[in-house]
Amino acid sequence: MQVNALEYLERTAERLPGKTFLVDASGSRSFAQVRQEARRLAARLVAAGARPGRPVAVLVPRSSDAVVAFLASLYAGGFYVPLDAKAPAARTRRIVASLGDAVVVSTPGLDGLATAVAGACPLVSVDDARGEAPAPDLAALDARVARTIDTDPIYTMFTSGSTGTPKGVVIPHRGVLDYVDWVVDTFSVDERTVIGAQAPLFFDNSTLDLWAAIAAGATLDLIPDAIFSFPIRLLEHLAEKKVTLVFWVPSVLTHVASAGVLDRVPLPDLRDVLFAGEVLATRVLNHWRKRLPRARFANLYGPTEITVDCTCFIVDRELEDEEPIPIGLPCRNTDVLVLSNEGRRTDDGEVGELCVRGSSLALGYWRDAERTAAAFVPNPLNPDYPERIYRTGDLVRRNARGELVFVGRRDSQIKHLGYRIELGEIEAAIRALPDVEDACVFYDAGAARIEAAYVAASPRAAGDLRRALTDSLPRYMLPSTWHRLEALPRTPNGKVDRERVRSMAGERADGPERESAAPPGERERRDPITGTAEDGCRDR
């Protein structure tokens, strides 16, 4: 019985010691080499004060060194906390301070930043794993690992919080074991697989890249960040490295499709294209599928709090450009509930909040009992014994096939002209328009106005955009103001930075890129008594 994730590395390093595991800009490392370096670094962590069950903050740029530091944290009996070396120092300092008695691992190139954010925490250099480092006491390390059980943390990832304070999501070993076994089985990952990694290591999508490679003996190619800005170079890199599997955010797939380079660089080895993190326009998916007809495509869904992904849709049929891509069905050993506001199970086609139960759930938020209690709640459908579920805050419905379809966020649901509206539905309709590459919709409550920011190769008249949407959206859901942007700003994880979109749109409020989409005579008709719009179904 496997109880901690390090057992993956131990088995693979014994079975395939010389097999290439990690590839980055500095070169490559085998499984045996990585294990040796991780053990040496673990001994330094222990000497610096790392204790079983305690955090090790890793302030190392995305590289093989960072992976070694993660594994060293586990060999020391603790868990790793990936930090973004490019984040504001004040934010990183707050995260480290919240960890308490942590050890900080850094790299010589970040000495100044590491000293600034570590505070009273001891600092260890990742370089201590190489060179003349003394051989570690393997028996002592093995004893620490042996005390690690599946409910102990394996990592904590800090995500943005609505209050301005980052949330530390604490994931147990059992969540990773469950998830990785499913990934390896579902996508046939083995020692012949080459994973082309895009995700930052402080983003939970990297869990699939890293741990599936370790479990199956695959090669993990940490594609340099800079290459993603150049689609032709990116595809050439995939071809050169014979990458067979990618797990990317939709913005990367969209960027490649928009550049039109899939027709220019053959990718005969790429057999699996997985994506997650945000909604992918179906038109973009169809562009990729047409050019890679032998590849398997899968839409994965899940918040950080449930160990990366809880549902999956392997694309098994043709989808129209206007048709949303389902998020599919639950992954193995995971169950999802679609609940109404009253806590009942919704009917097919009815929109409700997606809630998750199973061993994939996070242990909670680091040192934040109040947030934990609000998000991880008793299952209202189980009156017989205590059972936790996680409330994702995402709204979904089931389609005619029983597949889950993402509708939007609870916090992006608005009340406009008496109607309850999901902004995500409007975004999906805009993305389906010809020549539109991306879209973000937000609501100005003070002005009672729906606004849309969009990316397209050339400006579109607001009236044209409005008319193009009338076949898919009722009039009361049509944006009244449009902002054309060169690109939608992104967070370090590759998701749309909605606050920056709103800010950029506001800066252009009086500029040529802003245009009203509802010309005179096309404003919503209002009931003279209630004041609400006349067409469509109102929310009573």
Side-chain angles (χ1 to χ4, degrees):
M1 174 183 176
Q2 185 171 352
V3 296
N4 73 69
L6 267 183
E7 295 176 47
Y8 286 135
L9 180 59
E10 289 294 319
R11 288 201 300 265
T12 301
E14 291 296 326
R15 182 170 65 93
L16 303 166
K19 168 74 171 19
T20 297
F21 168 25
L22 294 172
V23 178
D24 66 6
S26 68
S28 63
R29 299 182 195 181
S30 70
F31 281 98
Q33 183 180 356
V34 168
R35 178 174 64 168
Q36 180 184 50
E37 291 186 9
R39 285 171 165 175
R40 285 180 174 177
L41 184 57
R44 288 287 296 117
L45 293 175
V46 172
R51 297 192 292 116
R54 302 305 302 166
V56 176
V58 179
L59 185 64
V60 179
R62 182 172 173 271
S63 62
S64 297
D65 280 349
V67 173
V68 168
F70 293 170
L71 298 171
S73 306
L74 303 180
Y75 275 116
F79 60 93
Y80 57 92
V81 182
L83 300 175
D84 179 5
K86 298 178 182 178
R91 183 182 191 273
T92 305
R93 187 163 50 245
R94 288 198 303 272
I95 291 174
V96 174
S98 74
L99 295 176
D101 57 341
V103 176
V104 177
V105 180
S106 188
T107 188
L110 295 177
D111 285 342
L113 176 62
T115 301
V117 304
C121 297
L123 273 170
V124 173
S125 172
V126 74
D127 278 2
D128 291 343
R130 294 189 291 274
E132 300 302 320
D137 183 343
L138 296 182
L141 294 180
D142 288 345
R144 287 185 173 228
V145 173
R147 292 200 297 271
T148 302
I149 63 175
D150 69 348
T151 54
D152 286 333
I154 180 172
Y155 64 75
T156 293
M157 290 192 180
F158 279 81
T159 65
S160 60
S162 58
T163 64
T165 303
K167 298 183 297 185
V169 184
V170 185
I171 297 296
H173 281 260
R174 68 180 180 189
V176 170
L177 297 176
D178 225 29
Y179 177 66
V180 168
D181 286 347
W182 171 80
V183 168
V184 169
D185 289 348
T186 301
F187 299 105
S188 304
V189 183
D190 59 25
E191 59 265 29
R192 297 166 296 181
T193 302
V194 179
I195 301 173
Q198 168 267 323
L201 295 177
F202 53 81
F203 181 30
D204 68 331
N205 276 12
S206 63
T207 301
L208 184 151
D209 300 331
L210 174 59
W211 287 103
I214 293 174
T219 295
L220 177 59
D221 178 14
L222 296 169
I223 302 173
D225 293 336
I227 290 183
F228 286 93
S229 299
F230 304 95
I232 192 74
R233 285 179 56 193
L234 176 59
L235 297 196
E236 289 172 347
H237 182 95
L238 298 186
E240 177 189 350
K241 301 296 184 180
K242 298 185 181 300
V243 169
T244 64
L245 182 151
V246 297
F247 182 36
W248 290 352
V249 290
S251 58
V252 174
L253 300 180
T254 301
H255 188 42
V256 170
S258 299
V261 295
L262 282 166
D263 294 316
R264 297 163 56 187
V265 181
L267 297 173
D269 299 296
L270 187 57
R271 70 167 192 250
D272 285 296
V273 179
L274 318 182
F275 50 95
E278 282 195 309
V279 175
L280 176 69
T282 310
R283 183 182 66 257
V284 173
L285 171 64
N286 289 338
H287 179 92
W288 275 79
R289 291 188 73 202
K290 182 178 179 180
R291 286 150 183 85
L292 296 176
R294 294 190 298 173
R296 172 171 46 185
F297 290 80
N299 184 20
L300 278 62
Y301 160 87
T304 304
E305 287 86 345
I306 54 76
T307 314
V308 195
D309 298 303
C310 58
T311 71
C312 174
F313 172 66
I314 296 177
V315 182
D316 59 357
R317 60 185 183 272
E318 296 299 319
L319 298 170
E320 298 296 327
D321 284 355
E322 300 78 18
E323 185 180 354
I325 305 171
I327 60 173
L329 301 172
C331 302
R332 186 175 63 201
N333 200 35
T334 296
D335 190 26
V336 297
L337 312 173
V338 184
L339 301 180
S340 68
N341 289 335
E342 298 75 30
R344 63 170 176 81
R345 197 186 297 272
T346 58
D347 298 325
D348 288 348
E350 181 183 2
V351 173
E353 182 179 7
L354 180 60
C355 300
V356 186
R357 71 185 190 96
S359 58
S360 65
L361 266 60
L363 299 174
Y365 297 116
W366 180 258
R367 292 186 172 181
D368 197 333
E370 185 176 350
R371 271 181 173 165
T372 299
F376 297 87
V377 302
N379 182 358
L381 304 182
N382 183 1
D384 301 319
Y385 56 86
E387 180 187 31
R388 289 194 322 155
I389 61 173
Y390 173 67
R391 299 183 56 180
T392 67
D394 288 335
L395 299 174
V396 299
R397 60 175 175 80
R398 295 189 187 275
N399 62 18
R401 296 171 178 260
E403 300 158 338
L404 294 166
V405 177
F406 178 79
V407 175
R409 289 282 303 165
R410 286 186 66 89
D411 52 20
S412 69
Q413 186 181 78
I414 64 169
K415 192 78 169 290
H416 178 61
L417 301 177
Y419 299 91
R420 197 167 296 279
I421 297 171
E422 304 297 340
L423 297 182
E425 184 179 355
I426 305 175
E427 290 175 348
I430 297 172
R431 290 192 192 100
L433 296 179
D435 302 324
V436 173
E437 298 174 11
D438 212 344
C440 177
V441 176
F442 54 93
Y443 189 58
D444 184 337
R449 182 172 61 212
I450 299 174
E451 301 194 31
Y454 72 100
V455 177
S458 58
R460 300 278 298 273
D464 290 344
L465 288 164
R466 177 183 172 85
R467 282 187 289 274
L469 290 175
T470 54
D471 289 339
S472 55
L473 296 176
R475 182 180 300 158
Y476 62 84
M477 292 179 67
L478 300 179
S480 58
T481 305
W482 294 77
H483 308 267
R484 177 175 171 261
L485 303 179
E486 293 299 319
L488 297 185
R490 301 276 170 178
T491 68
N493 293 349
K495 298 182 180 181
V496 173
D497 189 332
R498 295 180 176 276
E499 289 305 313
R500 283 187 61 200
V501 170
R502 185 187 291 266
S503 175
M504 292 170 66
E507 292 171 1
R508 298 182 178 214
D510 298 319
E513 301 291 349
R514 177 182 185 271
E515 187 178 356
S516 170
E522 285 195 33
R523 303 284 183 184
E524 289 91 345
R525 298 190 302 274
R526 294 175 179 261
D527 184 291
I529 298 176
T530 65
T532 55
E534 292 179 355
D535 54 341
C537 299
R538 288 188 288 269
D539 182 63
R540 298 292 185 182

